[in-house]
């Protein structure tokens, strides 16, 4: 804010409107799934079910939200997966994780649109959501013939048990990753505007994604704003 | 039952054959499990199928349907040749010692006196040799070549284990184990009960099946003792009651005979029923027949029955032939019947050869169905596709349906297999317009009688003279009717000394109080005592059992005379001492007969008088030799069912029962074994009650659909898999159902030939909650037992094939 | 004969157990009652069972359940499986005993075993949807049920079923409503041969001993009681002719216990999961406290501007 007041600085477009909408659909779904899922996961989270009007409703809508999330996440995946492919700098970056955590940016390599941590979030959620999708269908189907009709398979009880174990384990990991994701967005100031306004400051780009910034500047994607 | 349900717990060996007690009588079956649990009793089951009774049995032996006599005769032979009989019992309590008159013969399957044209016997050579004193001649050493015992040895000798196995398909070891277990009770220390049902009666030789079983029990000394007996398991809660009350066409209540055409007078009727004792000092209780008969007439015709008019004997119908169900439908089929009233009767389902039944019903002017449910019969005219393929436009029969109350909506008594009459109270109001049967019949009677009174008509006297002294003539109560069955004194009744034992107007306490002079009434002597001077004894509910033998003397009322075990005098030896402590029941205490039950004997006759324990018989003993009392022979013989896959292996010249009746119209309906090689048998399922509960949702859930049980071998041969739709057909009809492929049915080797069997449950029809199917009796043959005319539902021939293509 | 249970009085009687007699409650902790009620048990004597299905119909009637009329699929079992309405089911197995060459038709009444350590209850995420009374009865409280089907995964016997009508789980209640007023379950009442008896568990075990002795005397050397210790014993027990091979009886599990997967799911994963989540959140918090926000500096902005300027102008 103060920067904006003093003078016009460079702002760089980071996410398009549709990408942002897509992201926030995923985000809202994720939070709802987390709240409803946790209330089913452990009795101490049971009060969360009140947010949905009771555990019955929480159980009933959880899988449907899950389906929405999967579709939405697929959108994000298609959008972003090229930028999330691993690069050699990712390993350097990871090797210097200590400097990442202590914000000693000068010791870090220049990174593109995503650093290795973000890529980790991306790929781990991709895998975990996949696991939860498959196991979730197995859990969902119980007593709901339409699910079996929809997906065309039935599960044994032993498979369902594994599904339950894997689903909850994957969920725990996914939430942990989500915590990292949210925390990083908060800790690294200037990040959230990328997902709210669609742009970040040039300084943010310079500091965290210099390679990306250079590319953006080269392609004219960066401009000064008043 | 000679004994009672509760008495089964006293048995050491329980033999179920010709029945499936666990499935058809699950509640009574508890006494089998009691005997097993507390006495270590052994249960054996002989059946074409490994049934649910077999599932809890200690021994199971398979048998080909319809070959029971061969099996049972084999047991008789085993007992005789191995001398495993209760000798003293046989000597003193059976007619083993009686000499049969000269002239009796048995050759190649036929007894002396056969008339092939009439398909009937002249039975005169089947009688005893009568001595100069007028009594039958006996040889107590049982050695005389013409004594019953020696004739038996001779008659049953062919039934060796090898022959039994050849005819019945029962493996010899399994057959012999049955013999050994039977023999283990031939000693007075242990007892065996035989439980049978329609698996024995529904054959062209059904009555002889039961007779052979009775012979086995007599040889073992198992009649009249606790845990013994030949026990008919009746298939309805009150079928014993309807038999007792005389709904058989040739009987009037209490097993008295309905007069025949050649008995024009009361005297001529009674003259044939003198029951002169065949030994000195015998009770020959049927000598009281006139008392029972006259009391019946007094009940029927009241004040109109006087000595002058032979108590209204002329008004009774006189039979030309017996009108059993097969004959009823035969006459209907011939177009000789105008109307039929079915009261709790579903003949389309129940009578053999359904196509003929339906054709008969189609020729009626009217059909009345009195039933709590809509029966298949009431809708016989309706097209139900393959399940009932008729053309309604061609059927002109007018059908009336009169809804009647169910058992719980009316009060009355039920008589169970134990002969125990138990009152039931009304538990619910009648549904909709339903009325009790009594009310409908009474209303009908009153209307018809009124028409006769107003308009007159031929032969109206029986109707006009009937006593109808009910408080409400339009609705007599069950209480009034039971009272009437019991009978009352119409004048003061005195004993031999002249003491008044019953005042005029009082209910009779026992049939011993009945008189033949018109001073008592009572339309069913065997029930007398059920509603005595002390009130309605069928309402008694005292479940105390002082002896611990399951007698329960004050629970309801068991006819006759509240006796729980019949022939119970035979539980003691000729000196009046129990055969053993283990089987102690009725005994002579020095001054009278005593024990936990009502003695089946005059209680004061001392043992010295050598009065036999079988007091109904003029001999005083039981009959191994049945004289001329059965149409098809004094001894049982193995005949094949009318439809059988093999010729008679024992008597090749005679296939089916030579004395069984076949109507001329039915001669061409029997199937050839070449065309129909598979033996079929029908039965009910425990989940259903006959043709009624297919109307009930919950029962339909338990067994929803007709099925065909078959062995894995047969299924493989025909390319049938479990759950496939299959078609079964006989020379008379065709049905479709699901295949139940099971290890519980096995192909049997009969006379060297592999014979397959299928099992066909009978509960399914085209009306109700269960899946629609043609009645199983569209397959069964219209031939009946030579004595009882019970149709041969239990053994006939079919073929089977898988049904390919879409299944609805 | 096992002494029959007397009919109840027509006067309304207060239930003998209820809310205050719980020893377990799903997804919640309960204070167990000071005094545990006598443990009850239903003993199903397979060797006395004639497969008449009276128990099945009594169950439907007492519990006012309506099952659909199905079809025959080539066996006597009808319906073909337990459903939300069929809480007990006769299962028929034909087995040729290789030792005796005799065919045995093993008929087992299937239904909830009322485990002392109920897997369904352990798996249930909804507080109070599954309870266990101190007499051992495990009961589903449908108003708390969320229809997740976790009980099915928890059950070692494959018993609970979800109703497609109201999406809630159902199973045998051991007629807790009848037992509460001193009666036995409806199936026991209806059983014509006393193949089902009901009473204190100790007495049932004694009764079973007698039956086992009888069966051994008839050549069933391996006759025995099925009261599997893996689930802490059950409150529905079987007398089996072949107790060494319970799986013969339509797959009755040999030594059943709550699946290790379920144990991991409801044990390890729950605690480990909470720990992982807690630690992750805590790590973030601590990091923030120590490190403070990672801010973009003016220098960064100027560098960026310079980069852009160099390029665009």
């Amino acid at each position: 804010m103060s920067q904006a007041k003093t003078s016009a600085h460079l702002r760089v477009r980071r996410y398009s409107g549709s990408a942002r909408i897509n992201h926030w659909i995923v985000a809202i779904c994720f939070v709802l799934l987390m709240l409803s899922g946790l209330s089913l996961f452990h009795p101490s989270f049971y009060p969360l079910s009140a947010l949905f009007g009771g555990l019955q409703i929480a159980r009933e809508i959880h899988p449907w939200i899950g389906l929405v999330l999967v579709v939405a996440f697929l959108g994000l995946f298609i959008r972003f997966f090229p930028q999330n492919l691993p690069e050699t700098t990712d390993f350097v970056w990871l090797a210097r994780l200590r400097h990442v955590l202590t914000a000693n940016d000068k010791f870090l390599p220049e990174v593109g649109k995503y650093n290795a941590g973000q890529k980790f979030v991306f790929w781990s959620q991709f895998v975990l959501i996949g696991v939860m999708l498959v196991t979730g269908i197995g859990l969902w189907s119980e007593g709901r013939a339409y699910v079996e009709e929809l997906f065309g398979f039935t599960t044994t009880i032993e498979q369902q048990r594994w599904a339950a174990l894997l689903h909850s384990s994957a969920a725990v990991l996914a939430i942990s990753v989500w915590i990292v994701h949210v925390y990083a967005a908060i800790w690294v100031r200037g990040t959230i505007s990328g997902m709210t306004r669609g742009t970040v400051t040039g300084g943010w780009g310079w500091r965290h994604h210099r390679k990306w910034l250079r590319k953006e500047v080269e392609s004219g994607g960066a401009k000064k704003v008043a | 039952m000679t004994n009672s349900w509760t008495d089964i717990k006293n048995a050491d060996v329980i033999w179920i054959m010709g029945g499936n007690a666990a499935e058809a009588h699950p509640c009574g079956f508890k006494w089998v499990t009691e005997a097993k649990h507390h006495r270590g009793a052994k249960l054996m089951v002989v059946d074409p199928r490994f049934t649910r009774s077999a599932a809890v049995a200690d021994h199971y032996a398979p048998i080909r349907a319809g070959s029971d006599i061969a099996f049972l005769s084999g047991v008789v032979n085993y007992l005789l040749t191995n001398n495993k009989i209760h000798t003293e019992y046989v000597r003193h309590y059976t007619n083993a010692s009686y000499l049969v008159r000269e002239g009796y013969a048995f050759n190649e399957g036929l007894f002396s006196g056969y008339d092939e044209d009439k398909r009937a016997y002249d039975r005169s050579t089947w009688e005893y040799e009568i001595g100069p004193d007028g009594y039958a001649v006996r040889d107590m050493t049982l050695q005389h070549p013409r004594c019953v015992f020696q004739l038996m040895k001779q008659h049953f000798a062919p039934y060796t284990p090898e022959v039994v196995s050849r005819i019945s398909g029962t493996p010899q070891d399994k057959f012999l184990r049955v013999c050994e277990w039977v023999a283990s009770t031939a000693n007075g220390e242990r007892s065996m009960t035989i439980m049978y049902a329609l698996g024995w009666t529904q054959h062209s030789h059904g009555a002889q099946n039961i007779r052979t079983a009775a012979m086995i029990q007599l040889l073992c000394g198992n009649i009249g003792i606790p845990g013994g007996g030949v026990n008919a398991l009746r298939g309805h809660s009150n079928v014993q009651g309807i038999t007792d009350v005389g709904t058989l066409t040739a009987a009037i209540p209490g097993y008295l005979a309905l007069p025949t055409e050649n008995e024009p007078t009361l005297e001529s009727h009674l003259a044939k029923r003198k029951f002169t004792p065949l030994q000195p000092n015998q009770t020959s209780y049927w000598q009281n027949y006139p008392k029972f008969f006259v009391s019946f007439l007094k009940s029927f015709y009241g004040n109109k029955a006087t000595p002058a008019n032979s108590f209204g004997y002329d008004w009774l119908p006189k039979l030309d032939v017996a009108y059993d169900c097969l004959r009823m439908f035969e006459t209907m089929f011939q177009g000789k019947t105008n109307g039929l009233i079915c009261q709790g009767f579903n003949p389309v389902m129940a009578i053999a050869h359904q196509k003929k039944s339906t054709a008969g019903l189609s020729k009626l002017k009217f059909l009345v169905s009195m039933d709590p449910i809509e029966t298949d019969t009431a809708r016989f005219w309706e097209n139900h596709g393959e399940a009932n393929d008729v053309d309604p436009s061609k059927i002109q029969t007018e059908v009336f349906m009169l809804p009647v109350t169910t058992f719980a909506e009316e009060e009355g008594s039920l008589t169970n297999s134990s002969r125990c009459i138990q009152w039931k109270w009304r538990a619910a109001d009648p549904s909709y317009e339903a009325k009790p049967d009594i009310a409908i019949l009474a209303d009908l009677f009153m209307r018809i009688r009124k028409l006769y009174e107003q308009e007159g008509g031929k032969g109206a006297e029986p109707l006009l003279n009937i006593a109808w002294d009910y408080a409400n003539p339009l609705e007599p109560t069950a209480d009034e009717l039971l009272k009437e069955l019991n009978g009352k004194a119409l004048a003061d009744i005195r004993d031999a000394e002249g003491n008044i034992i019953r005042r005029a107007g009082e209910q009779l306490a026992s049939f011993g109080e009945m008189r033949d002079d018109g001073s008592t009434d009572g339309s069913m002597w065997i029930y007398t005592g059920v509603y005595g001077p002390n009130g309605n004894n069928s309402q008694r509910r005292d479940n105390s059992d002082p002896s611990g033998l399951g007698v329960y003397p004050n629970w309801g009322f068991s006819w006759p005379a509240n006796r729980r075990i019949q022939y119970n005098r035979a539980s003691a030896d000729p000196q009046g001492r129990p055969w053993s402590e283990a089987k102690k029941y009725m005994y002579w205490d020095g001054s009278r007969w005593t024990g936990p039950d009502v003695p089946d004997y005059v209680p004061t006759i001392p043992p010295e008088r050598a009065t036999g324990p079988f007091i109904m018989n003029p001999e005083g003993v039981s009959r191994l030799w049945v004289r001329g009392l059965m149409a098809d022979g004094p001894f049982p013989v193995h005949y094949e069912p009318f439809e059988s896959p093999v010729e008679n292996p024992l008597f090749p010249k005679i296939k089916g029962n030579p004395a069984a009746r076949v109507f001329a119209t039915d001669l061409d309906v029997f199937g050839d074994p070449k065309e129909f090689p598979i033996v079929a048998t029908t039965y009910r399922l425990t989940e259903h009650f006959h043709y009624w509960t297919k109307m009930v949702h919950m029962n339909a859930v338990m067994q929803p659909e007709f099925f065909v049980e078959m062995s894995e071998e047969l299924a493989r041969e025909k390319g049938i898999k479990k759950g496939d739709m299959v078609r079964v057909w006989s020379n008379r009809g065709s049905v479709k159902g699901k295949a139940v492929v099971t290890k519980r049915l096995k192909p049997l080797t009969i006379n060297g030939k592999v014979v397959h069997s299928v099992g066909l449950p009978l509960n399914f029809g085209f009306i109700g909650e269960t899946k629609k199917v043609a009645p199983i009796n569209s397959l069964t043959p219209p031939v009946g037992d030579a004595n009882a005319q019970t149709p041969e539902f239990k053994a006939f021939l079919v073929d089977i094939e898988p049904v390919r293509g879409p299944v609805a | 004969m096992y002494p029959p249970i007397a009919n109840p009085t027509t006067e309304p009687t207060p239930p003998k157990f209820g809310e205050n007699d719980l020893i377990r409650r799903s997804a919640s902790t309960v204070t167990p009652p000071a005094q545990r009620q006598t443990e009850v048990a239903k003993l199903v004597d397979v060797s006395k069972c004639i497969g008449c299905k009276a128990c099945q119909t009594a169950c439907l009637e007492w519990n006012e359940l309506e099952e659909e009329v199905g079809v025959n699929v080539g066996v006597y079992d009808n319906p073909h499986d337990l459903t939300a309405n069929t809480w007990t089911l006769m299962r028929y197995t034909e087995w040729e005993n290789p030792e005796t060459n005799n065919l045995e038709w093993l008929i087992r009444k299937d239904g909830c075993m009322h485990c002392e350590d109920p897997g369904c209850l352990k798996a249930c995420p909804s507080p109070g949807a599954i309870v266990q009374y101190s007499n051992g009865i495990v009961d589903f409280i449908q108003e708390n049920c969320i229809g997740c089907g976790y009980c099915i995964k928890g059950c070692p016997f494959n018993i609970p079923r979800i109703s497609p009508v109201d999406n809630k789980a159902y199973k045998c209640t051991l007629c807790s409503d009848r037992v509460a007023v001193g009666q036995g379950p409806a199936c026991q009442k209806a059983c014509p041969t006393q193949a089902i008896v009901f009473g204190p568990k100790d007495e049932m075990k004694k009764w079973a001993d007698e039956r086992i002795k009888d069966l051994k005397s008839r050549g069933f050397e391996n006759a025995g009681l099925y009261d599997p210790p893996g689930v802490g014993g059950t409150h529905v027990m079987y007398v089996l002719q072949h107790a060494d091979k319970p799986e013969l009886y339509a797959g009755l599990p040999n030594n059943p216990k709550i699946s290790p997967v379920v144990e991991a799911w409801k044990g390890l994963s729950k605690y480990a999961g909470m720990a992982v989540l807690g630690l992750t959140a805590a790590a973030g918090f601590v990091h923030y406290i120590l490190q403070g926000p990672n801010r973009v500096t003016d220098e960064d902005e100027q560098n960026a501007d310079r980069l852009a300027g160099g390029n665009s102008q």
Side-chain angles (χ1 to χ4, degrees), chain C residues 101-123:
Chain C
N101 282 327
N102 283 339
L103 175 65
E104 293 182 29
W105 200 8
L106 306 171
I107 307 172
R108 178 171 69 87
K109 174 189 183 294
D110 196 10
C112 177
M113 299 294 288
H114 295 270
C115 307
E116 180 60 22
D117 184 11
C120 56
L121 193 149
K122 177 163 266 177

Side-chain angles (χ1 to χ4, degrees), chain B residues 22 30 34 36-38 41 52 56 58 687 697-698 702 704-705 709 738 742-744 746 771, chain C residues 1 48-51 53 61 67 70-72 74 76 78 92 94 96 103 105 192 207 210-211 218:
Chain B
K30 80 154 69 64
E34 284 299 296
K36 286 186 74 186
H37 184 151
H38 296 290
R52 282 180 260 205
V56 290
D58 297 285
E687 289 88 346
H697 181 85
M698 203 176 295
M702 296 300 135
E705 190 172 12
E709 285 188 291
K738 295 289 181 67
T742 172
K743 297 183 197 304
R744 296 178 295 99
K746 295 263 190 256
K771 304 271 176 273
Chain C
M1 192 158 37
K48 272 190 182 181
C49 174
I50 54 174
K53 302 187 189 168
E61 291 203 323
E67 189 51 89
V71 293
N72 185 295
Y76 272 44
N78 269 300
Y92 302 80
E94 294 170 2
E96 263 157 356
L103 175 65
W105 200 8
W207 188 254
E210 208 179 297
R211 291 298 307 136
R218 291 169 199 272

Side-chain angles (χ1 to χ4, degrees), chain A residues 38 40-45 165 168-169 172-173 176, chain C residues 25 27-29 121-124 261-280:
Chain A
L38 283 173
L40 283 158
F41 177 62
H42 196 281
S44 55
F45 289 123
L165 178 61
S168 55
S169 305
V172 164
L173 296 177
S176 302
Chain C
R25 189 174 187 272
S28 32
T29 45
L121 193 149
K122 177 163 266 177
C124 177
V261 183
V262 173
E263 294 278 11
W265 168 38
K266 285 291 157 175
L268 186 69
S269 89
K270 225 166 172 178
Y271 300 112
M274 292 298 277
V276 168
L277 294 179
L279 286 174
T280 314

Side-chain angles (χ1 to χ4, degrees), chain C:
Chain C
M1 192 158 37
Y2 191 78
I5 301 166
N7 287 326
T9 61
T10 47
E11 297 295 309
T13 20
K16 292 183 178 168
F17 60 88
E19 285 282 282
N20 297 327
D21 294 290
L22 300 182
I23 51 170
R24 284 192 179 88
R25 189 174 187 272
S26 58
S28 32
T29 45
V30 286
T31 322
Q35 182 107 38
R36 192 169 172 177
Q37 292 206 337
T38 314
E39 283 187 62
V40 295
K42 176 164 81 181
L43 181 67
V44 181
D45 182 349
V46 172
S47 72
K48 272 190 182 181
C49 174
I50 54 174
C52 70
K53 302 187 189 168
C55 50
Q56 246 178 274
T57 47
C59 180
L60 290 169
E61 291 203 323
W62 176 260
N63 295 299
E64 297 184 319
L65 302 167
E66 181 152 327
E67 189 51 89
E68 286 169 24
V69 177
V71 293
N72 185 295
V73 295
V75 290
Y76 272 44
D77 313 34
N78 269 300
H80 314 132
D81 193 8
L82 294 169
T83 70
N85 292 313
T86 293
W87 298 350
T88 188
L89 177 70
M90 308 308 299
R91 295 188 186 274
Y92 302 80
T93 310
E94 294 170 2
W95 181 60
E96 263 157 356
N97 187 335
E99 283 168 33
T100 60
N101 282 327
N102 283 339
L103 175 65
E104 293 182 29
W105 200 8
L106 306 171
I107 307 172
R108 178 171 69 87
K109 174 189 183 294
D110 196 10
C112 177
M113 299 294 288
H114 295 270
C115 307
E116 180 60 22
D117 184 11
C120 56
L121 193 149
K122 177 163 266 177
C124 177
S126 181
I130 304 181
V131 297
Q132 187 177 32
Y133 299 108
S134 70
N135 58 11
I137 294 178
V138 179
D139 215 351
F140 283 10
I141 310 297
Q142 272 78 25
E143 61 182 41
N144 295 332
C145 175
I146 62 166
C148 61
Y150 285 6
C151 46
I152 297 169
K153 298 151 191 57
C155 175
F157 296 95
N158 183 15
I159 300 299
R161 295 289 182 272
I162 304 281
S163 159
V165 176
D166 66 0
N167 283 337
K168 288 173 188 289
Y170 290 89
K171 68 153 189 82
C172 157
T173 67
L174 206 63
C175 284
S176 54
D177 50 351
R178 293 176 57 90
V179 175
V181 293
Q183 293 293 289
C187 55
Q188 171 268 331
K189 178 96 174 173
C191 179
T193 59
Q194 286 207 335
I196 309 173
V197 284
F198 177 83
K201 185 163 175 177
D202 293 344
E203 276 185 38
M204 291 298 104
K205 283 182 165 178
K206 268 187 229 148
W207 188 254
D209 281 345
E210 208 179 297
R211 291 298 307 136
I212 291 159
K213 252 179 244 151
D214 177 59
L215 287 172
K216 287 191 171 168
S217 80
R218 291 169 199 272
F220 295 106
E221 281 163 23
N222 295 311
L225 180 69
Y226 186 82
D227 180 24
V231 289
T234 51
H235 294 274
V236 173
M237 306 184 291
Y238 291 110
V239 171
L240 302 177
Q241 299 97 325
H242 310 285
D244 56 328
K245 295 192 272 284
E247 60 280 0
L248 288 179
Y249 300 83
L252 184 62
N254 198 343
N255 190 22
K257 34 183 188 285
I258 300 175
S259 159
V261 183
V262 173
E263 294 278 11
W265 168 38
K266 285 291 157 175
L268 186 69
S269 89
K270 225 166 172 178
Y271 300 112
M274 292 298 277
V276 168
L277 294 179
L279 286 174
T280 314
F285 184 71
V286 170
H287 181 256
Y288 198 80
I289 300 293
L290 295 178
Q291 197 60 41
N294 184 349
R295 287 187 202 280
V296 177
T297 60
D298 274 350
E299 195 190 336
D300 293 328
E301 296 292 1
Q302 282 154 16
N303 283 335
D305 289 345
R306 208 171 302 127
L307 180 72
N311 257 346
S312 61
Q313 291 161 11

Side-chain angles (χ1 to χ4, degrees), chain B residues 119-183:
Chain B
R119 287 185 65 82
Y121 282 104
D122 166 13
R123 309 177 207 170
S124 58
T125 58
W126 305 353
E127 286 301 331
Y128 298 134
E129 182 168 318
I130 303 295
D133 55 359
Y135 293 128
V137 181
R138 294 192 293 174
D139 170 21
M140 295 309 279
T141 66
L142 310 182
Q143 296 305 316
H144 192 286
R146 276 191 289 112
C147 82
V148 168
F149 190 69
Q150 294 301 329
L151 290 178
M152 260 181 96
K153 281 190 153 178
Q154 197 187 328
H155 183 87
F156 289 99
Y159 298 90
T160 60
E162 189 273 327
V163 167
V164 170
S165 182
R166 196 144 54 83
I167 298 175
S168 305
T170 312
Q172 286 193 44
D173 57 334
K174 290 193 189 290
F175 166 72
L176 283 170
R177 180 180 252 198
V178 172
C179 294
E180 285 156 18
W181 286 11
V182 171

Side-chain angles (χ1 to χ4, degrees), chain B residues 733-765:
Chain B
S734 168
V735 296
K736 282 180 187 171
K738 295 289 181 67
V740 169
V741 179
T742 172
K743 297 183 197 304
R744 296 178 295 99
L745 263 170
K746 295 263 190 256
L748 299 171
T749 306
I750 309 298
N751 214 12
K753 174 178 162 190
V754 174
V755 171
H756 289 291
S757 300
V758 292
L760 308 169
L762 56 76
N763 308 97
F764 304 95

Side-chain angles (χ1 to χ4, degrees), chain B residues 332 336-342 363-368 397:
Chain B
M332 227 180 279
K336 293 179 185 167
T337 309
N338 288 325
L340 176 71
I341 301 181
C342 289
K363 293 176 185 173
L364 292 173
K365 291 205 173 76
F366 70 92
L367 166 68
V368 182
T397 310

